[in-house]
């Protein structure tokens, strides 16, 4: 039931965790602009047939069905919509789903509806609007993430270098937690293999074949 209630919010962009009304409205309007721009573009295609419509409907069902399955599995496994990689995948499926919906609409609308030149103008304006609506509210966060990319890459490189060493101890340098890309923050300190070892630390130990992990705080490297 929770997945059913949340799914329309994710599709429309109205989840809004930690976001203000301007951001939420911008993401919603970006989806509408994307649909309008794609619809105008698809209207320029000459191919109209029952099989094309069935293909488009199957694509819509597959994309939105896959996104819902991801959300349902998240609630089943974690009791909440987790995690960044899963929500990012669903966002990608929603974008593709909106494009597929626009294709369906283009096949259902009357063939003689507006001229090609007019539709071309609508496509350009709508897709530019979708881009601006999606990026403008996130401009500060995008700049902050790009500014921290070098630190994040350096931290990961340091972790791999330490993990590839032949010793039984490694230093895990946690990258900074980025504002859009996100990230995880694991408990810092010296962790030794044992029954009470943190589960994520145990996974790191098993992967790199180590017995001791010196977990550095996020962004400290």
């Amino acid at each position: 039931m929770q997945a059913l209630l949340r799914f329309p919010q994710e599709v429309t962009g109205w989840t809004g965790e930690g976001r203000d009304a301007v951001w939420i409205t911008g993401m919603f309007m970006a989806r509408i602009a994307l649909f309008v721009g794609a619809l105008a573009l698809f209207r320029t295609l000459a191919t109209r047939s029952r099989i094309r419509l069935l293909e488009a409907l199957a694509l819509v069902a597959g994309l939105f069905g896959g996104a819902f399955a991801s959300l349902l599995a998240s609630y089943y496994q974690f009791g909440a919509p987790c995690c960044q990689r899963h929500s990012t995948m669903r966002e990608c499926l929603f974008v593709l789903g909106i494009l597929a919906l626009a294709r369906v609409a283009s096949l259902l609308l009357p063939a003689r509806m507006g001229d090609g030149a007019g539709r071309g103008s609508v496509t350009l304006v709508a897709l530019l609007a979708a881009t601006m609506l999606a990026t403008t509210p996130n401009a500060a966060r995008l700049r902050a993430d790009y500014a921290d990319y070098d630190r994040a890459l350096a931290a990961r490189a340091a972790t791999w270098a330490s993990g590839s060493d032949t010793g039984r101890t490694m230093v895990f340098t946690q990258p900074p937690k980025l504002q859009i890309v996100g990230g995880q923050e694991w408990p810092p300190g010296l962790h030794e293999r044992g029954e009470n070892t943190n589960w994520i630390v145990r996974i790191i130990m098993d992967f790199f074949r180590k017995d001791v992990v010196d977990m550095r705080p996020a962004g400290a490297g």
Side-chain angles (χ1 to χ4, degrees):
M1 179 59 70
Q2 288 178 305
L4 283 173
L5 293 175
R6 182 180 173 86
F7 188 68
Q9 298 175 356
E10 289 203 354
V11 172
T12 57
W14 285 94
T15 53
E17 294 97 338
R19 307 296 188 185
D20 56 30
V22 174
W23 187 92
I24 297 171
T25 304
M27 296 306 100
F28 177 67
M29 295 304 297
R31 284 164 162 77
I32 293 178
L34 176 63
F35 175 82
V36 172
L39 174 59
L41 176 63
F42 288 138
R43 294 286 293 157
T44 64
L45 302 179
T47 53
R48 297 172 61 88
S49 65
R50 181 183 297 272
I51 188 64
R52 296 295 185 192
L53 178 59
L54 291 175
E55 289 173 349
L57 288 171
L59 188 57
V60 169
L63 291 167
F64 285 106
F68 180 72
S70 167
L71 185 61
L72 188 65
S74 181
Y75 273 106
Y76 177 81
Q77 182 67 28
F78 305 109
C82 174
C83 302
Q84 286 108 334
R85 58 188 177 274
H86 301 160
S87 60
T88 299
M89 183 194 74
R90 287 196 297 274
E91 283 292 327
C92 294
L93 292 175
F94 293 148
V95 169
L96 294 174
I98 290 170
L99 297 176
L101 279 174
R103 178 57 173 155
V104 170
S106 73
L107 293 169
L108 292 175
L109 289 174
R112 299 178 180 275
M113 186 175 174
D115 56 62
R119 288 196 293 266
S121 300
V122 170
T123 298
L124 179 61
V125 172
L127 294 183
L128 283 174
T131 302
M132 293 301 295
L133 286 165
T135 57
T136 301
N138 293 305
R141 299 181 182 95
L142 284 168
R143 286 195 299 268
D145 279 8
Y146 277 116
D148 269 341
Y149 260 27
D150 287 343
R151 293 176 59 211
L153 293 174
R156 293 190 180 107
T159 294
W160 277 97
S162 181
S164 301
D165 194 17
T166 56
R168 304 305 296 173
T169 300
M170 69 170 290
V171 175
F172 191 100
T173 306
Q174 298 189 73
K177 194 170 183 179
L178 304 180
Q179 296 184 30
I180 290 181
V181 177
Q184 300 290 341
E185 189 169 354
W186 309 113
L190 198 64
H191 301 268
E192 297 185 12
R193 185 183 292 275
E195 293 182 0
N196 298 322
T197 304
N198 179 279
W199 68 274
I200 187 62
V201 176
R202 181 181 293 277
I203 291 174
I204 294 169
M205 289 176 174
D206 292 342
F207 182 83
F208 287 105
R209 299 179 181 178
K210 304 296 182 183
D211 296 317
V212 180
V213 173
D214 183 1
M215 184 72 70
R216 301 292 171 85

